[in-house]
């Protein structure tokens, strides 16, 4: 008898959790909206900085969120309001199970700010976009880099520092929390 | 030593600073433990290191072409590439970019390269407001200090130090106590700077030539904000950061975070290939622009230098610093140059500032080689530092005086041109020291306190006991016992053809021959008990001592003699066994570098560390069906704490030693994690370094005692201390006031006992009959 190989998404979730991130599995638009709204409530906000991405757009959660009293504010319309928004929502193009990493960006847009400015970063990830190992993911990534998509950020857990007293502190300059909503 | 710095004084000041020692020890222990963990769990580690090394070699070889390729790719994305011959040129270029873009406020993420060229001073001098945003660099900037580590800039500061900086420099009445609150305080202040900035400056960890991409590796997110918020982004990077293609980055992604901080990947990896899109939301009018400044500042000259070229492979992970024993105690301000700390700092300072700067701290490298073991691109830092030491000495050497030529050259000849001090002449060949120490008039003289003190002072020696030469050398004992002795190439050749039994050639290194003769005797008895006939190769120094003095010519001559002596062994396929790890390491590792193309690699292939060799014999006998050599003794096992010798660890001889001792009946083995004992040959005997050596040694003894106390809660006296190096044994023995054995002495003793039962020895004899 041999143990069945763990699914990439399970590995991703456990490695990400070790870096201080968290994973919530969702399968319906309603669940996604509820998860986002619950984070907004925790943070006491009604507006969320938003970088449009296909996964979220397809779900058509705007109205569902409105029912929760939460508005999505796209980065290009947020302007100087952006730094005051405590929560941001983006998609991810790819995730790497081995390292618990989200690959964000590639295309033009405000993902760079949305992923760096807030206190809580919410990411919607489709489970089929999780690649098991770094080497395979990197090969896919290089193909896109060479194809002209030159700007990306790889995110592995919340922002951190151990500069003071060699004590780990999350939320150094970027998000203090990284919550991944995995769409199954 | 340099007129600018008094290293001995700096060391004493660092040793008196409990705050520094505490902060450093806490941080390096934490980082090293995490690194060991992630490296041990990474199956592809060695393959990734090989790949990374190969890619770096290729990149540096092709550097000019890569610059062209990178420039074209960046331009395609709408960015600009500038080349700067030196720091002044780079500062000028960046100041002009800032002026042209109409910037006033600049945010900066961490960059050692900008420290190298004093970029902040230049920008502030031109009227710009510059804010360092990496938390550690922010504290450094407030305190007007400088980084003491390449990835952990304030590793030398305690929490209290940071609080004081915040209180005094930010004018705060109340400063929070906890790192968490202090970090949040800095976050709030820096957030305002980020939002106000109109120009962002970063360094780069890698530049991908084919796609024109800048890669920045970080954890805090300050490089993210530095690059995303202001409309203008300037990258300052040493030209050596170029990699040929994007695909080449993979092994570096696998290695850099693991080695630097013990992470699988850092929180953020930025890939930036141009100015990005659209107007910056906080600067709606400003157009985005992107500049990469490629810095030479000595790097192209390093590329032409067969020795310093290797430093260009460095990816600035800082791993070599956190494992460096002197660094762990005194930190990067003492052990380092104006910009680059620790072992690799020798080559970098020599390359970007010049040999005189490296000369200010080169003596602090003990060439223990622990850095070589963690370097993700396998840079031979100890060898670089040895050759730099030689270059420094050669440059400073005066012509030999008459007295030196008439007296010293007769008594203690050396190969170097120009004047060589008496102590260097003595220390470069241990045989001289021991021969002298054995002379009766000398001994009488040394019994007189004043004479001893005068000599010790004039030779720059520390007030500690010198190794005591035995009345009878191992060679003499062996001859008296009727053993087969080889003191020349001819004798080695003759004994190679002597087909009696299965012969091994045991190297009588200077230490087991003169001081630790009991270790040598045990090694001989063990080999014999394991069925081997021993030929003792005696009388020739390996060159290790001369090497650590930076006397490469003398070392080369000694190496040549020993190589000639051992050469016949290669032809007949006999095995060579060594006891003292540092001497054996000279033979297997350094001789090939001293005598390129001289066949030293063939001799090295036949050399074995004694425990490694014994382990092979036991494994082979078990494979052939002998009963497993497991713990079978009744009664209580003795706890033994083994401290691995530096080179024994670096050259991969530890697993065999541990495996062998674990199976030794009646032994419960524990192993230390301290990198080094701090004696490091003659280092601990020099008065300038003596207090540092003792501090390193004391930490090791504390660790040993802690392990001993943990293992079964017995008192420290209840456990035995084992160490393979003669330096380690004398250091631990002196500081810990205890007997320290070489493991072969323990095996010799245990095999003797087993022999009384007859079981194990009978098996072995049976096997080797």
């Amino acid at each position: 008898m041999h143990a069945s190989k763990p699914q990439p998404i399970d590995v991703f979730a456990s490695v990400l959790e070790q870096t201080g991130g968290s994973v919530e599995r969702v399968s319906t638009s309603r669940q996604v909206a509820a998860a986002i709204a619950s984070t907004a409530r925790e943070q006491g906000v009604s507006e969320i900085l938003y970088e449009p991405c296909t996964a979220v757009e397809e779900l058509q959660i705007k109205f569902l969120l409105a029912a929760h009293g939460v508005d999505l504010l796209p980065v290009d319309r947020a302007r100087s309001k952006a730094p005051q928004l405590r929560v941001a929502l983006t998609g991810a193009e790819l995730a790497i199970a081995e390292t618990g990493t989200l690959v964000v960006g590639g295309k033009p847009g405000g993902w760079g700010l949305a992923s760096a400015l807030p206190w809580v970063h919410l990411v919607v990830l489709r489970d089929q976009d999780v690649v098991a190992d770094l080497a395979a993911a990197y090969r896919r990534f290089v193909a896109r880099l060479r194809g002209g998509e030159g700007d990306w950020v790889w995110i592995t857990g919340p922002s951190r520092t151990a500069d003071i007293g060699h004590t780990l502190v999350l939320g150094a300059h970027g998000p203090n929390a990284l919550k991944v909503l995995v769409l199954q | 030593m340099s007129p600018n710095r008094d290293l001995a004084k700096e060391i004493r000041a660092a040793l008196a600073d409990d705050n520094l020692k505490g902060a450093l020890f806490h941080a390096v222990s934490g980082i090293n433990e995490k690194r060991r963990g992630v490296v041990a769990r990474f199956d592809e580690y060695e393959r990734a290191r090989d790949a990374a090394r190969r890619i770096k070699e290729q990149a540096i070889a092709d550097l000019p072409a890569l610059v062209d390729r990178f420039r074209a790719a960046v331009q395609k994305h709408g960015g600009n590439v500038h080349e700067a011959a030196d720091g002044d040129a780079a500062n000028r270029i960046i100041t002009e970019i800032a002026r042209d873009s109409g910037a006033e406020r600049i945010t900066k993420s961490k960059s050692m390269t900008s420290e190298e060229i004093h970029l902040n001073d230049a920008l502030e001098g031109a009227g710009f407001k510059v804010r360092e945003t990496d938390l550690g660099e922010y504290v450094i900037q407030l305190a007007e200090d400088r980084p003491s580590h390449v990835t952990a800039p304030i590793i030398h500061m305690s929490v209290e130090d940071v609080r004081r900086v915040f209180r005094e420099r930010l004018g705060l009445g109340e400063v929070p106590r906890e790192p968490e609150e202090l970090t949040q305080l800095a976050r709030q202040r820096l957030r305002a700077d980020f939002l106000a900035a109109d120009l962002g400056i970063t360094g780069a960890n890698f530049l991908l030539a084919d796609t024109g991409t800048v890669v920045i590796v970080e954890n805090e997110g300050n490089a993210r904000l530095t690059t995303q918020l202001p409309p203008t982004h300037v990258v300052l990077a040493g030209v050596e950061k170029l990699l040929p293609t994007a695909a080449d980055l993979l092994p570096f992604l696998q290695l850099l975070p693991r080695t630097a901080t013990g992470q699988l990947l850092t929180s953020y990896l930025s890939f930036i290939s141009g100015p990005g899109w659209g107007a910056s939301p906080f600067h709606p009018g400003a157009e985005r622009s992107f500049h990469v400044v490629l810095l030479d500042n000595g790097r192209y000259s390093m590329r032409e230098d067969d020795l310093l070229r290797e430093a260009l492979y460095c990816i600035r992970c800082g791993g070599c610093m956190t494992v460096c024993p002197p660094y762990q105690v005194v930190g990067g301000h003492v052990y380092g140059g104006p910009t680059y700390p620790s072992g690799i700092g020798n080559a970098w300072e020599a390359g970007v500032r010049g040999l005189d700067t490296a000369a200010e701290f080169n003596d602090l490298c003990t060439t223990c080689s622990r850095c070589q073991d963690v370097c993700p691109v396998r840079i031979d830092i100890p060898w670089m530092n040895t050759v730099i030491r030689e270059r420094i000495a050669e440059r400073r050497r005066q012509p030999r005086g008459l007295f030196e030529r008439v007296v010293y050259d007769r008594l203690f000849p050396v190969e170097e041109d120009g004047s060589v001090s008496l102590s260097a002449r003595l220390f470069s060949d241990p045989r001289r020291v021991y021969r002298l120490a054995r002379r009766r008039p000398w001994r009488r003289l040394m019994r007189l306190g004043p004479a001893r003190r005068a000599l010790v002072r004039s030779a720059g020696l520390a007030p500690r006991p010198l190794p005591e030469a035995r009345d009878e050398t191992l060679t003499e004992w062996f001859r008296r016992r009727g053993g087969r002795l080889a003191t020349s190439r001819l004798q080695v050749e003759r004994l190679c053809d002597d087909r009696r039994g299965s012969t091994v050639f045991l190297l009588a290194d200077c230490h087991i021959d003169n001081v630790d003769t009991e270790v040598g005797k045990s090694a001989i008895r063990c080999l014999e008990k394991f069925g081997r006939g021993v030929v003792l190769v005696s009388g020739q120094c390996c060159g290790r001592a001369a090497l650590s003095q930076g006397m490469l010519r003398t070392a080369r001559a000694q190496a040549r003699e020993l190589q000639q002596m051992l050469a016949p062994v290669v032809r007949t396929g006999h095995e060579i066994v060594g006891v003292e790890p540092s001497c054996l390491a000279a033979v297997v590792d350094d001789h090939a570098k001293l005598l390129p193309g001289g066949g030293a690699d063939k001799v090295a292939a036949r050399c074995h560390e004694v425990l490694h060799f014994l382990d092979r014999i036991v494994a082979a006998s078990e494979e052939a069906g002998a009963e497993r050599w497991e713990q079978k003794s009744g009664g209580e096992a003795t706890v033994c704490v083994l401290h691995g010798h530096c080179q024994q660890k670096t050259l991969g001889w530890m697993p065999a030693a541990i495996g062998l001792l674990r199976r030794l009946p009646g032994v419960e083995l524990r192993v230390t994690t301290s990198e080094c004992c701090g004696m490091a040959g003659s280092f601990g005997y020099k008065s300038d370094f003596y207090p540092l050596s003792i501090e390193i040694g004391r930490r090791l003894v504390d660790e040993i005692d802690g392990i001993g106390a943990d293992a079964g809660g017995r008192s420290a006296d209840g456990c035995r201390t084992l160490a393979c190096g003669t330096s380690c044994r004398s250091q631990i023995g002196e500081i810990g006031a205890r007997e320290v054995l070489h493991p072969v002495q323990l095996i010799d003793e245990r095999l003797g006992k087993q022999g009384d039962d007859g079981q194990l020895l009978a098996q072995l004899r049976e096997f080797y009959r």
Side-chain angles (χ1 to χ4, degrees):
Chain A
M1 206 184 98
H2 57 253
S4 63
K5 219 174 143 195
Q7 291 299 306
I9 182 61
D10 298 327
V11 177
F12 172 76
S14 91
V15 178
L16 180 69
E17 274 155 20
Q18 283 164 31
T19 70
S22 65
V23 168
E24 189 173 336
R25 292 162 200 245
V26 286
S27 46
T28 66
S29 306
R30 200 173 291 277
Q31 285 174 342
V32 174
I36 294 170
S38 129
T39 299
R41 244 193 330 276
E42 278 165 29
Q43 296 299 321
V45 299
S46 59
E47 276 184 323
I48 287 179
L49 189 63
Y50 171 55
E51 169 61 19
C53 68
T54 350
V56 176
E57 295 294 305
E58 278 174 355
L59 290 170
Q60 299 187 318
I61 55 172
K62 277 224 156 138
F63 295 110
L64 293 169
L65 278 174
H68 287 283
V70 174
D71 278 339
L72 294 182
L73 192 62
V75 179
D76 57 357
R77 288 202 281 119
R79 298 275 170 210
S80 54
K81 206 175 178 185
Q84 276 77 55
L85 300 174
R86 280 179 70 83
V87 182
L89 173 68
T90 74
E93 297 291 302
L94 207 67
I96 306 162
E98 182 187 335
T99 54
T101 302
L102 295 159
V103 178
V104 175
K107 57 196 179 307
W111 49 266
L113 288 173
S115 60
L117 283 172
W119 186 244
V120 180
H121 182 199
L122 287 167
V123 182
V124 175
L125 173 73
R126 298 183 304 180
D127 64 353
Q128 70 260 36
D129 291 332
V130 182
V131 179
D133 67 293
L134 176 65
Y138 191 68
R139 274 194 298 275
R140 271 165 73 168
F141 176 76
V142 167
R144 296 186 63 174
L145 206 56
R146 294 173 66 93
E149 295 175 280
D151 287 61
W152 301 84
V153 58
W154 287 29
I155 301 172
T156 307
S159 150
R160 70 194 57 226
T161 181
D163 273 348
I164 302 178
H166 193 64
T167 304
L168 179 68
V169 176
L170 299 184
H173 287 291
N176 165 266
L178 177 68
K179 297 187 177 182
V180 183
L181 307 177
V182 176
L183 266 177
Q184 294 179 307
Chain B
M1 215 156 287
S2 154
N4 304 320
R5 285 177 65 177
D6 182 345
L7 204 52
K9 197 171 150 197
E10 288 179 32
I11 291 169
R12 283 195 302 274
L15 287 170
D17 186 344
D18 288 333
N19 218 17
L20 166 79
K21 281 193 293 183
L24 257 178
F25 184 68
H26 175 59
V28 298
S29 312
I31 295 171
N32 290 338
E33 195 183 326
K34 279 184 77 183
R35 179 192 307 115
R36 277 195 293 269
V38 294
V39 164
R41 288 191 297 275
F42 182 38
D43 299 334
E44 305 276 290
Y45 180 57
E46 300 300 343
R47 256 176 55 184
R49 288 173 90 196
D50 288 338
R53 170 80 189 198
R54 219 170 31 241
I55 292 163
K56 272 289 180 184
E57 284 176 0
Q58 193 61 49
I60 297 303
D62 297 344
L63 205 52
L66 295 189
V67 170
D68 293 338
R69 197 193 298 176
F70 180 70
R71 182 190 293 106
V74 170
Q75 283 170 347
K76 220 169 88 186
H77 289 290
N80 308 283
V81 174
H82 313 259
E83 284 181 86
D86 55 24
D88 286 344
N91 289 337
R92 220 165 27 241
I93 293 167
I94 296 171
T95 308
E96 273 164 28
I97 294 170
R99 268 203 201 106
D100 292 348
S101 69
E104 286 170 14
R105 293 157 187 271
I106 297 172
T107 44
K108 243 182 106 234
S109 71
K110 192 173 160 35
S111 153
M112 286 308 289
T113 312
S114 74
E115 303 276 349
E116 176 188 320
I117 64 171
H118 305 295
L119 174 61
N120 290 6
D121 292 344
L123 288 168
E124 282 165 358
F128 297 99
K129 290 186 95 169
V130 183
R131 175 53 75 206
E132 290 288 348
T133 62
D134 172 89
L135 181 55
E137 291 283 347
Y138 175 56
V139 176
I140 293 275
Q141 189 184 28
L142 291 178
E144 295 173 55
D145 197 350
R146 59 194 175 91
S148 68
H149 187 278
V150 293
T151 59
I154 53 169
I155 196 167
H156 57 287
M157 286 190 186
S158 65
V159 179
E160 210 36 58
D161 290 332
V162 175
R163 291 188 67 212
R164 196 178 51 244
V165 172
F166 280 5
R167 194 164 42 232
E168 290 171 6
R169 301 301 169 110
L170 294 177
L172 298 174
E174 239 357 83
V175 177
R177 266 177 203 291
E178 298 301 318
E180 169 115 41
E181 300 161 306
L182 290 165
T183 303
Q184 289 315 313
L185 175 77
R187 176 185 169 116
Q188 280 163 22
R189 298 224 157 208
L190 289 166
R191 194 43 89 92
D193 291 312
F194 278 124
L195 296 175
D198 31 31
L199 187 124
I201 299 177
T202 69
N205 292 91
F206 306 97
L207 304 170
L208 312 179
D210 61 340
T211 57
T213 306
V214 174
V215 183
I216 303 168
V217 182
E218 57 143 354
N219 273 309
E220 294 184 3
N222 64 309
R224 295 300 304 149
L225 292 168
T226 300
T227 60
Q228 298 300 306
L229 286 165
T232 309
H233 176 196
V234 179
V235 180
L236 169 69
V239 68
E240 84 285 1
K241 299 285 171 74
L242 279 160
L243 297 181
T245 69
D248 290 327
L249 182 66
L250 179 62
F252 299 97
L253 291 185
Q254 293 169 319
L255 292 167
L256 176 57
R258 281 184 167 89
T259 319
T261 54
Q263 292 173 282
L264 296 180
L265 278 181
T266 56
S267 291
Y268 302 104
L269 289 178
S270 298
F271 293 81
I272 299 170
S273 308
W277 305 278
S280 169
F282 305 101
H283 307 272
E287 203 177 313
R288 281 185 173 274
S289 68
F290 177 70
H291 301 266
V292 182
V293 180
L294 296 178
L295 179 70
D296 171 2
N297 204 32
R299 286 161 174 81
Y300 279 106
S301 306
M302 289 168 79
R303 181 172 170 267
E304 299 299 320
D305 184 321
D306 284 339
L307 181 78
L308 297 183
R309 183 183 307 125
E310 219 184 331
L312 297 173
Y313 308 155
C314 172
I315 58 171
R316 312 271 173 94
C317 67
C320 57
M321 295 160 201
T322 55
V323 298
C324 171
Y327 178 92
Q328 291 180 339
V329 176
V330 298
H333 289 164
V334 178
Y335 185 17
T339 311
Y340 297 105
S342 188
I344 191 70
N346 284 276
W348 272 102
E349 293 291 355
V352 305
R353 286 205 173 74
L355 210 48
D356 289 339
T357 306
E360 293 175 352
F361 60 96
N362 172 272
D363 285 337
L364 270 174
C365 177
T366 67
T367 65
C368 76
S369 78
R370 299 305 301 134
C371 48
Q372 202 181 345
D373 209 14
V374 296
C375 178
V377 283
R378 302 190 192 280
I379 298 176
D380 194 343
I381 299 170
W383 178 254
M384 281 206 297
N385 292 351
T386 303
V387 180
I388 289 170
R389 188 165 297 172
E390 184 200 30
R391 290 181 179 183
I392 293 166
E394 298 269 303
R395 180 189 281 199
R396 290 177 175 175
R397 215 156 257 151
Q398 305 289 321
R400 267 185 177 78
L402 180 67
F403 182 76
E404 203 178 339
R405 270 177 299 167
V406 173
V407 182
Y408 289 176
D409 277 356
R410 296 253 169 87
L411 289 172
F412 313 115
V414 289
E415 300 291 319
E416 277 66 24
D417 289 334
S419 180
V420 177
S421 73
L422 177 60
S423 66
R425 284 168 187 266
L426 283 174
F427 273 135
S428 62
D429 191 339
R431 292 172 298 179
R432 287 174 183 163
V433 182
Y434 295 137
R435 215 177 290 138
L436 195 65
R438 208 174 278 114
R439 295 264 157 84
R440 199 164 295 144
W442 176 265
R443 283 187 174 180
R444 277 202 205 113
L445 185 68
M446 283 302 98
R447 255 180 242 130
L448 299 171
R452 190 175 59 232
R453 278 193 294 276
L455 179 101
V456 159
R457 238 195 329 272
S458 68
L461 292 179
R464 71 187 303 172
L466 289 163
E468 215 168 289
R470 304 280 162 215
D471 287 330
E472 186 182 46
T473 64
L474 182 68
T475 307
E476 286 159 359
W477 172 83
F478 193 72
R479 187 184 284 129
R480 188 160 59 79
R481 203 168 166 258
R484 289 179 291 166
L485 195 64
T487 55
S488 67
R489 181 193 169 104
L490 246 123
Q491 286 170 334
V492 171
E493 197 142 32
R494 193 165 46 76
L495 289 165
C496 274
D497 294 327
D498 179 355
R499 285 282 165 200
R500 269 182 301 164
S502 55
T503 298
V504 292
F505 289 78
L506 182 71
L507 287 176
D509 57 71
C510 302
H511 309 288
I512 63 165
D513 199 22
N514 291 286
V515 180
D516 288 329
T517 51
E518 292 307 315
V519 174
K521 291 174 195 173
S522 284
I524 291 167
R525 281 194 294 263
C526 282
L527 288 164
E528 287 171 350
K529 282 173 188 172
F530 279 76
R532 297 296 163 113
V534 174
V535 170
L536 192 68
V537 182
S538 172
Q540 182 51 51
C541 176
C542 62
R544 159 68 62 206
L547 262 184
S548 62
Q549 303 293 316
M551 293 166 67
L552 262 68
R553 294 187 195 201
T554 298
R556 190 170 291 120
Q558 290 167 338
R560 193 174 291 122
E561 296 226 0
L562 184 55
Q563 284 291 326
Q564 278 167 0
M565 212 165 149
L566 296 175
V569 171
V570 175
R571 180 175 49 80
T572 53
H574 279 86
E575 316 273 19
I576 301 164
V577 173
V579 176
E580 171 54 36
S582 56
C583 299
L584 189 65
V587 178
V588 305
D589 192 36
D590 297 306
H591 282 191
K593 292 176 255 180
L594 286 167
L595 307 164
D601 51 328
K602 293 199 186 76
V603 170
R606 307 241 60 91
C607 286
H608 308 274
E609 191 271 330
V610 62
L611 298 174
H612 195 263
F613 189 73
L614 294 178
D615 183 61
R616 277 196 355 170
I617 297 179
V618 173
S621 72
E622 285 175 356
E623 235 166 70
E627 196 183 324
R628 288 191 68 79
W629 200 41
E630 301 292 0
Q631 304 214 332
K632 44 182 141 187
S633 89
E636 205 181 348
T638 312
V639 174
C640 295
V641 182
L642 172 68
H643 172 65
H645 179 275
C646 308
Q647 266 106 9
Q648 183 184 17
K649 286 185 275 207
T650 302
L651 291 171
W653 299 330
M654 274 301 273
I658 293 169
L660 183 73
L661 291 170
R662 283 247 153 88
R663 294 187 289 174
L664 188 64
V667 169
E668 193 183 324
L669 188 73
R670 297 283 190 282
V671 185
T672 63
T673 58
S674 291
E675 302 293 346
C676 178
C677 69
M679 181 67 98
S682 56
F683 183 80
Y685 289 107
K686 293 176 180 161
S687 61
D688 283 355
F689 307 125
Y690 169 66
L692 171 55
S693 165
I694 292 290
E695 175 67 22
I696 299 171
R698 189 166 293 136
R699 290 181 186 188
L700 170 60
V701 170
D702 286 348
E703 190 198 355
I704 293 171
D705 288 347
I707 293 171
D710 281 351
R714 275 180 233 107
S715 73
D717 310 335
C719 77
R720 302 180 85 166
T721 309
L722 305 174
C724 293
T726 187
S727 287
C728 320
R729 286 191 298 275
S730 49
Q731 177 88 326
I732 301 167
E734 187 187 325
I735 296 172
R738 71 192 62 182
E739 186 191 32
V740 185
L741 298 179
H742 188 291
V744 288
Q745 291 175 286
L746 185 72
I747 297 171
D748 183 26
E749 175 196 304
R750 292 297 151 105
L751 282 185
K753 278 186 193 154
Q754 289 287 318
D756 298 337
D757 305 340
Q759 262 189 352
L760 179 72
L761 268 184
Q763 275 175 25
L764 286 166
R765 290 216 183 91
E766 181 68 19
F767 181 69
Y768 284 108
R769 203 173 48 182

